[in-house]
Amino acid sequence: MKVTVVGAGAVGASCAEYIAIKNFASEVVLLDIKEGFAEGKAMDLMQTASLNGFDTKITGITNDYSATANSDICVITSGIPRKPGMTREELIGINAGIVKTVSSSLIEHSPNTIIIVVSNPMDTMTYLVHKTTGLPKHRIIGMGGALDSARFKYRLAEALGAPISDVDGMVIGGHSDTGMVPLTRLATRNSVLVSEFLSEDRLNQVKEDTKVGGATLTKLLGTSAWYAPGAAVSGLVQAIACNQKKMFPCSVLLEGEYGLNDICIGAPVILGRNGIEKIVEIELSDAEKAHMQESSEGVRKTNGLLAL
Ligand SMILES: NC(=O)c1ccc[n+]([C@@H]2O[C@H](COP(=O)([O-])OP(=O)(O)OC[C@H]3O[C@@H](n4cnc5c(N)ncnc54)[C@H](O)[C@@H]3O)[C@@H](O)[C@H]2O)c1
């Protein structure tokens, strides 16, 4: 199993590290445009192999896509991250050009690859890859919901005073401060609905804290977060590589599901060796449907900024 990660910055390197530590891939290629940067990150990571006990071979390369040839999975993290006070949507000008060039170079050398898009604004970047590459929809996956759901579970556990392993929950919709739809109605603590333990006000607070999860970290760090994003990507890569058939919310091209068409937005999917093996449609409440509709309008507005 060969995995390429484009962008050896904070998220790309963290993603490569988690993939290696989980020890399921034979090879990870890190590629960056900055001279020597990916080579340095790869060498540093390889020097953790004997300490962390993994056999995955990590190599770094400066902008030479022949080194990525025949990758089973390619992850795109290249592009600029947001600074405090910025929205993800403001990154579109620079990142759209980068994602378009990078995805076409990857496919040239790995025509059968599955692509995972991480660069922001992620739903729009995923849509851009659909519109410009012609890859079938099950091989283009946007990572946002897996991270937002992890942040949701963190906030739920905090509110409940419970260990995170007791908590389950999911965030669907757009990967933006206003677009996320945290499904508090369905979240559980060890199979009991969290509404049994938490007031409506407290649950609304959890929802709001989840939606600004990325912005909160960007304010603290001065740039966007990387550990949880890297771990979330590694979870998707592992589900595909190991044919796990795990369910994650991912940005996926919808064709009628959730009443939406011609848009990439977060919905639950089953991930296995073929990429997206199924889109799972769950019954939403009227309020959730309205929130999903509003979220889709936000994503479409950003999609409208693409020069397609
Ligand atoms: N989808 C998510 O949930 C999520 C989470 C966190 C960050 N992000 C996004 O991921 C992206 C990367 O964030 P980061 O914190 O790692 O940024 P970073 O600046 O640390 O790393 C980005 C890397 O991309 C490289 N790069 C730029 N143009 C390139 C090109 N054409 N080819 C190859 N490499 C190129 C840069 O040299 C840099 O090393 C940002 O757009 C950020 O907003 C998404």
Side-chain angles (χ1 to χ4, degrees):
M1 174 62 52
K2 178 172 176 177
V3 182
T4 285
V5 179
V6 181
V11 175
S14 160
C15 164
E17 181 176 13
Y18 284 115
I19 291 171
I21 285 177
K22 293 179 181 178
N23 213 14
F24 59 84
S26 50
E27 193 181 351
V28 174
V29 176
L30 257 182
L31 182 148
D32 203 284
I33 202 165
K34 207 190 309 175
E35 190 70 40
F37 191 57
E39 287 86 339
K41 288 278 182 109
M43 192 186 289
D44 193 10
L45 283 171
M46 277 309 282
Q47 290 171 1
T48 71
S50 64
L51 300 164
N52 285 329
F54 63 78
D55 298 314
T56 302
K57 184 180 168 213
I58 309 170
T59 50
I61 190 83
T62 304
N63 221 26
D64 173 5
Y65 282 83
S66 65
T68 71
N70 302 317
S71 292
D72 299 285
I73 303 170
C74 293
V75 180
I76 303 179
T77 77
S78 45
I80 52 164
R82 57 181 170 160
K83 296 271 171 259
M86 282 175 91
T87 66
R88 295 175 178 90
E89 290 68 28
E90 288 174 72
L91 306 173
I92 190 170
I94 295 179
N95 287 358
I98 294 175
V99 169
K100 192 172 170 196
T101 317
V102 166
S103 53
S104 89
S105 305
L106 287 170
I107 292 164
E108 197 184 316
H109 292 86
S110 303
N112 299 316
T113 194
I114 290 168
I115 291 193
I116 299 179
V117 182
V118 182
S119 310
N120 275 316
M122 183 279 298
D123 295 296
T124 295
M125 294 301 104
T126 308
Y127 184 72
L128 174 70
V129 174
H130 269 289
K131 287 289 171 193
T132 56
T133 64
L135 279 194
K137 63 180 268 187
H138 65 278
R139 283 168 44 202
I140 304 174
I141 304 164
M143 194 296 289
L147 169 64
D148 301 332
S149 300
R151 289 178 171 159
F152 182 39
K153 287 180 241 187
Y154 165 79
R155 289 298 184 188
L156 279 170
E158 181 184 57
L160 289 161
I164 292 182
S165 58
D166 245 16
V167 174
D168 205 3
M170 186 163 62
V171 178
I172 60 171
H175 179 61
S176 70
D177 297 356
T178 50
M180 285 176 214
V181 184
L183 297 174
T184 43
R185 182 181 59 90
L186 300 173
T188 59
R189 176 179 186 176
N190 202 1
S191 84
V192 181
L193 292 175
V194 292
S195 54
E196 295 280 335
F197 306 104
L198 298 173
S199 67
E200 202 179 325
D201 279 357
R202 190 67 184 93
L203 276 175
N204 281 335
Q205 187 60 50
V206 165
K207 213 184 252 187
E208 290 314 308
D209 289 345
T210 302
K211 286 159 69 179
V212 296
T216 304
L217 283 160
T218 302
K219 200 168 158 198
L220 290 169
L221 297 166
T223 183
S224 65
W226 54 89
Y227 294 119
V233 177
S234 77
L236 305 194
V237 172
Q238 185 174 22
I240 298 164
C242 303
N243 199 19
Q244 286 176 326
K245 320 282 184 195
K246 275 185 80 131
M247 184 163 87
F248 290 95
C250 290
S251 191
V252 54
L253 185 74
L254 295 183
E255 292 172 305
E257 300 89 350
Y258 295 93
L260 299 171
N261 267 298
D262 192 33
I263 188 168
C264 292
I265 194 165
V269 301
I270 305 296
L271 290 186
R273 190 60 198 90
N274 300 311
I276 294 173
E277 302 205 340
K278 185 177 165 40
I279 298 174
V280 180
E281 270 201 275
I282 53 174
E283 192 60 48
L284 298 180
S285 68
D286 288 346
E288 289 156 357
K289 275 183 200 157
H291 194 176
M292 191 72 172
Q293 181 61 36
E294 200 183 304
S295 177
S296 71
E297 285 159 17
V299 173
R300 283 193 206 285
K301 203 167 149 202
T302 312
N303 290 353
L305 301 172
L306 291 171
L308 289 171

